[in-house]
Amino acid sequence: MSEESGSLSPIESVGERISAISDGSQVISAGCAVGARASEFVRESYCYRWLTKEPDPEVIVIDLRETYAVGPFIALLDRIVPYVQHAWQHSRVGSTVKHVFERFNEKVLDPLAETRGYELAVSVLAPPEPPERERTTADDSESTEGRQS
């Protein structure tokens, strides 16, 4: 069963037979062509390029709180918002708007949430679950070194 004797193992012979059958298959060729075309279409799309482009190294981030034009306005909003929020929560207008929104939610949005279109939109637009971070032995050794020093 070695290569020197010229014979193939049963697994290798099955692999070669499957390869020989699939090489001439029009269905598999068509599937590969459709897959390649779809892959090309996705890679050339604006959204894919936008999501996967490298960040521009010349981008400058400006903290608007530190600017003379916008900084005072943001500081003013930071001071006023808690008072406006408190007044809104304890006013008749705020409670009326809250009641109207709750009724709107109950009468319009809740029945809409039971439709298939809504469920499809939620499943498509929902963010993926974050991957579980696996601890490596390097992480473990770094954490033990930090505790010892």
Side-chain angles (χ1 to χ4, degrees), residues 46-110:
Y46 173 78
C47 186
Y48 178 82
R49 286 182 293 163
W50 180 74
L51 288 171
T52 59
K53 76 177 183 179
E54 292 293 323
D56 189 2
E58 297 180 15
V59 172
I60 299 171
V61 178
I62 299 172
D63 185 5
L64 293 177
R65 292 177 188 274
E66 297 177 3
T67 63
Y68 291 115
V70 182
F73 181 69
I74 293 174
L76 179 67
L77 284 177
D78 284 341
R79 290 180 185 241
I80 291 176
V81 165
Y83 297 109
V84 172
Q85 182 181 11
H86 178 73
W88 178 261
Q89 290 173 347
H90 295 86
S91 71
R92 284 214 184 265
V93 174
S95 63
T96 303
V97 168
K98 181 180 177 185
H99 178 69
V100 168
F101 178 75
E102 286 172 354
R103 294 281 300 203
F104 176 76
N105 192 18
E106 179 182 305
K107 298 292 183 184
V108 177
L109 298 180
D110 285 346

Side-chain angles (χ1 to χ4, degrees), residues 109-126:
L109 298 180
D110 285 346
L112 179 66
E114 296 173 6
T115 63
R116 293 181 134 225
Y118 178 83
E119 291 174 1
L120 178 64
V122 167
S123 66
V124 169
L125 298 175

Side-chain angles (χ1 to χ4, degrees), residues 119-140:
E119 291 174 1
L120 178 64
V122 167
S123 66
V124 169
L125 298 175
E129 292 294 323
E132 291 293 323
R133 183 171 178 260
E134 294 182 20
R135 293 186 57 111
T136 62
T137 56
D139 290 341
D140 292 337

